[in-house]
Amino acid sequence: MTQPIPQNGTSKFVLEARSLGIYYGNFRAVIGVHLPVERNKITAIIGPSGCGKSTLLRAFNRMNELFAGTRIEGEINFEGQNLYDPSVDPVEVRYRIGMVFQKPNPFPKSIYENIAWGARIHGFKGNMDDLVESCLRQSALWDEVKDKLKQSGLALSGGQQQRLCIARALAVQPEVILMDEPASALDPIATLKIEELMQELKKNYTIVIVTHNMQQAARASDYTAMMMINDERAGTVIEFDETNRIFTNPKDKRTEDYVTGRFG
């Protein structure tokens, strides 16, 4: 029998990974991760390719379970409840911890329906027009699309599509938004719009972002986790601190080499 995750937590950390290990079959992708995620802050996860950044991010809303043979050790607490407790419904987890992917992936529906669809299937009973407008305003897209809500979301530019996907995530009123390389496919101007949007969103949401872009992590995040592959060939967090300290005074030589471009 499932039980609801506590609502409206007051603790400093909305999410916290403890001794987290993630396996794909016999392959151990992530080992021994301890990572707190502070409420209404932006936490960036950085590190070289293949160190488990996206795997760790997906663990925060149990999306790794969509891959056969995936299992975890340790726990991830959300509002004080272990997300991987057998009593927790993964659907509720994904409802309250939203996800924005690397490549914009709007539904082949109108701009309006891209936002309304998710809210509708989750039982939204309020004024849908108001919700759509609110989400588009929060994603800094309303002024650009308010006169073409019936047009396909696929007709928008890449940067607009990504902001539409963010608006779509907001429609189900999550508490946390996970972003996996949300600007990697965008031009510099669209990238800056996404970063500016993140600063606005953190007033009401907690954001965790994976990025290969060191400048983006330095500009946009409050905290940064540095991941590396350890001697056991598994990814782990080697350093976590306020972003300014990670980029100006890291404690680990590997972090210093990576953020200054000397790694590898």
Side-chain angles (χ1 to χ4, degrees):
M1 181 176 180
T2 61
Q3 63 182 32
I5 302 169
Q7 296 273 356
N8 303 319
T10 58
S11 63
K12 181 178 181 180
F13 302 123
V14 61
L15 280 167
E16 189 169 11
R18 297 179 180 175
S19 302
L20 183 68
I22 305 171
Y23 292 77
Y24 296 116
N26 293 325
F27 172 68
R28 181 165 54 187
V30 170
I31 185 173
V33 166
H34 299 267
L35 181 63
V37 176
E38 189 169 336
R39 194 180 304 275
N40 296 114
K41 300 291 184 182
I42 300 171
T43 298
I45 303 173
I46 64 173
S49 297
C51 69
K53 301 184 299 297
S54 293
T55 294
L56 174 58
L57 188 74
R58 289 193 300 263
F60 283 128
N61 71 343
R62 294 182 58 167
M63 284 201 69
N64 287 323
E65 294 180 8
L66 302 178
F67 302 99
T70 303
R71 62 185 176 89
I72 78 155
E73 295 175 344
E75 61 185 43
I76 295 178
N77 288 328
F78 173 49
E79 302 293 13
Q81 169 74 53
N82 181 11
L83 290 181
Y84 288 86
D85 187 283
S87 66
V88 171
D89 181 359
V91 174
E92 183 191 358
V93 172
R94 296 170 196 143
Y95 172 71
R96 294 177 58 184
I97 304 175
M99 187 91 169
V100 176
F101 297 93
Q102 180 174 358
K103 183 179 178 181
N105 60 342
F107 299 141
K109 299 175 181 289
S110 69
I111 293 168
Y112 185 101
E113 280 302 315
N114 260 273
I115 297 168
W117 185 80
R120 194 177 292 122
I121 65 171
H122 282 290
F124 179 75
K125 301 296 185 183
N127 186 304
M128 191 63 76
D129 290 349
D130 289 346
L131 177 69
V132 169
E133 179 177 344
S134 173
C135 292
L136 288 170
R137 285 189 182 279
Q138 286 183 78
S139 61
L141 194 56
W142 174 251
D143 289 340
E144 297 170 44
V145 304
K146 62 184 179 181
D147 297 322
K148 46 187 178 183
L149 296 179
K150 294 183 180 179
Q151 294 183 19
S152 172
L154 298 174
L156 298 174
S157 70
Q160 289 174 322
Q161 286 187 21
Q162 193 63 298
R163 282 182 283 148
L164 178 62
C165 292
I166 292 171
R168 184 179 68 193
L170 298 180
V172 296
Q173 301 176 319
E175 293 159 53
V176 179
I177 305 171
L178 309 177
M179 297 185 173
D180 193 358
E181 295 277 1
S184 66
L186 306 181
D187 62 59
I189 293 175
T191 294
L192 287 174
K193 284 188 176 181
I194 295 293
E195 292 175 10
E196 291 170 356
L197 173 58
M198 289 165 57
Q199 296 303 316
E200 286 299 310
L201 290 175
K202 77 173 185 179
K203 296 174 183 176
N204 298 304
Y205 306 92
T206 301
I207 298 173
V208 185
I209 177 173
V210 163
T211 180
H212 279 99
N213 187 325
M214 295 301 95
Q215 291 78 20
Q216 181 173 76
R219 286 191 301 260
S221 67
D222 301 292
Y223 293 91
T224 296
M226 178 70 207
M227 291 191 73
M228 283 281 183
I229 297 174
N230 69 3
D231 293 338
E232 300 177 63
R233 308 305 302 167
T236 194
V237 173
I238 64 167
E239 187 166 359
F240 173 75
D241 210 329
E242 293 179 1
T243 294
N244 183 58
R245 292 179 184 171
I246 289 289
F247 281 89
T248 62
N249 189 30
K251 298 175 183 176
D252 194 296
K253 182 65 164 56
R254 294 168 293 176
T255 303
E256 180 181 358
D257 288 345
Y258 188 80
V259 300
T260 57
R262 294 196 297 268
F263 177 79

